[in-house]
Amino acid sequence: MDNSKYFFDYMMNHTDNSHELTTSKEVPSKYRVIPRSLKFYKILNQARIVIGESWIPLDFLKKEGQEWVQLWHGTPFKKLFFDSHEPFITTFNKNHKRDKQRDISRWDYLLADSTKAKEQFTTAFAYPVERILNIGYPRVQWLKDNRYNQELIKELKQSMEIPEDKKVILYVPTWRDYNYKKSVLDLDYTLDISRMQQLLDEDYVFSTRTTARGATSTNMINV
């Protein structure tokens, strides 16, 4: 559903796709491979380029001569990894940062979508700046390419039961490390939606996607 999905779609439309394989359930079944299956490990061993969009398990071994490209999955508008103390995470997993650093050491390239993100990734991952490619994200490129696609916009609004004449504001807050494994979450960082309702007129629909302890929910609010 993220960068790798849109990268896959691009590859399918612009290359000879007879050998494209992925673990994503968001693509046709004939292009999928079951994670950790014998076929999966065979393909992983034979691949010249491996694409990831988050942490890659350490038991997935990198073969000599392979290049691993890390798409990542977002712009860091918060402190991340080495820039963050992450006290709650490291309390539950003493080897958290050590293991993640072992994964980072296998990346040949890391994607960023802005100069600011590139700067933050350099310190957050203690990663060489010359190997961070500031070329944008596949999922964002898809949005830019379809910004004026009225047919698609109409189709999406209909699927979510949003009136076609409404403008849509999407709010997607990310998680905070200090809420890790907490039974009561600190939500002071979240937006005051009631206040937003008061400030906006009836031309808008406010869409939110919230995440808490691994659960996601999507809500539509007419303003």
Side-chain angles (χ1 to χ4, degrees), residues 44 68-69 71-73 91 97 107 145 185-186 192 194 221:
L44 178 62
W68 284 21
V69 181
L71 303 182
W72 203 239
H73 50 266
T91 297
K97 291 195 174 182
W107 303 351
D145 291 344
L185 303 181
D186 179 354
D192 186 342
S194 296
I221 299 172

Side-chain angles (χ1 to χ4, degrees), residues 23-223:
T23 58
S24 173
K25 295 181 180 179
E26 302 299 319
V27 302
S29 59
K30 67 178 180 178
Y31 297 114
R32 294 184 219 151
V33 60
I34 299 173
R36 299 184 182 276
S37 64
L38 181 62
K39 184 177 182 181
F40 169 86
Y41 284 111
K42 181 179 179 180
I43 292 171
L44 178 62
N45 184 62
Q46 293 176 342
R48 186 174 65 85
I49 299 175
V50 175
I51 307 292
E53 66 176 333
S54 190
W55 305 115
I56 302 175
L58 294 177
D59 61 329
F60 293 176
L61 302 180
K62 184 178 182 180
K63 184 180 178 182
E64 185 177 353
Q66 281 183 338
E67 289 189 318
W68 284 21
V69 181
Q70 177 59 250
L71 303 182
W72 203 239
H73 50 266
T75 301
F77 287 107
K78 60 180 180 181
K79 289 185 177 180
L80 181 68
F81 203 51
F82 286 129
D83 289 340
S84 170
H85 295 300
E86 298 183 334
F88 300 103
I89 296 177
T90 52
T91 297
F92 288 94
N93 183 358
K94 300 293 185 182
N95 298 324
H96 171 68
K97 291 195 174 182
R98 183 203 66 179
D99 290 344
K100 295 299 185 279
Q101 176 56 42
R102 288 173 62 190
D103 180 28
I104 292 170
S105 69
R106 303 180 296 178
W107 303 351
D108 292 288
Y109 300 100
L110 168 64
L111 259 64
D113 66 347
S114 67
T115 301
K116 183 62 177 178
K118 184 174 182 177
E119 292 174 357
Q120 289 187 258
F121 282 146
T122 303
T123 57
F125 294 138
Y127 197 78
V129 65
E130 66 272 11
R131 284 161 49 194
I132 301 178
L133 309 179
N134 185 15
I135 56 177
Y137 285 144
R139 66 178 185 187
V140 177
Q141 187 61 49
W142 182 88
L143 288 172
K144 291 169 67 177
D145 291 344
N146 287 282
R147 183 178 181 183
Y148 302 108
N149 187 338
Q150 295 303 319
E151 184 176 339
L152 177 60
I153 292 172
K154 180 179 179 180
E155 179 183 327
L156 291 173
K157 284 186 174 180
Q158 288 178 344
S159 69
M160 292 182 283
E161 299 182 351
I162 297 175
E164 291 182 31
D165 61 334
K166 293 279 190 177
K167 297 176 182 178
V168 182
I169 297 176
L170 175 64
Y171 175 53
V172 191
T174 187
W175 73 292
R176 294 295 187 269
D177 63 286
Y178 48 73
N179 281 329
Y180 186 72
K181 289 187 179 293
K182 286 290 193 72
S183 57
V184 179
L185 303 181
D186 179 354
L187 300 178
D188 286 345
Y189 69 92
T190 55
L191 186 68
D192 186 342
I193 296 178
S194 296
R195 179 62 174 157
M196 284 291 292
Q197 284 181 284
Q198 296 173 10
L199 295 173
L200 296 173
D201 59 36
E202 296 182 356
D203 293 337
Y204 293 88
V205 167
F206 198 80
S207 176
T208 68
R209 180 186 174 94
T210 56
T211 304
R213 296 192 298 276
T216 62
S217 64
T218 301
N219 306 291
M220 292 289 183
I221 299 172
N222 286 309
V223 186

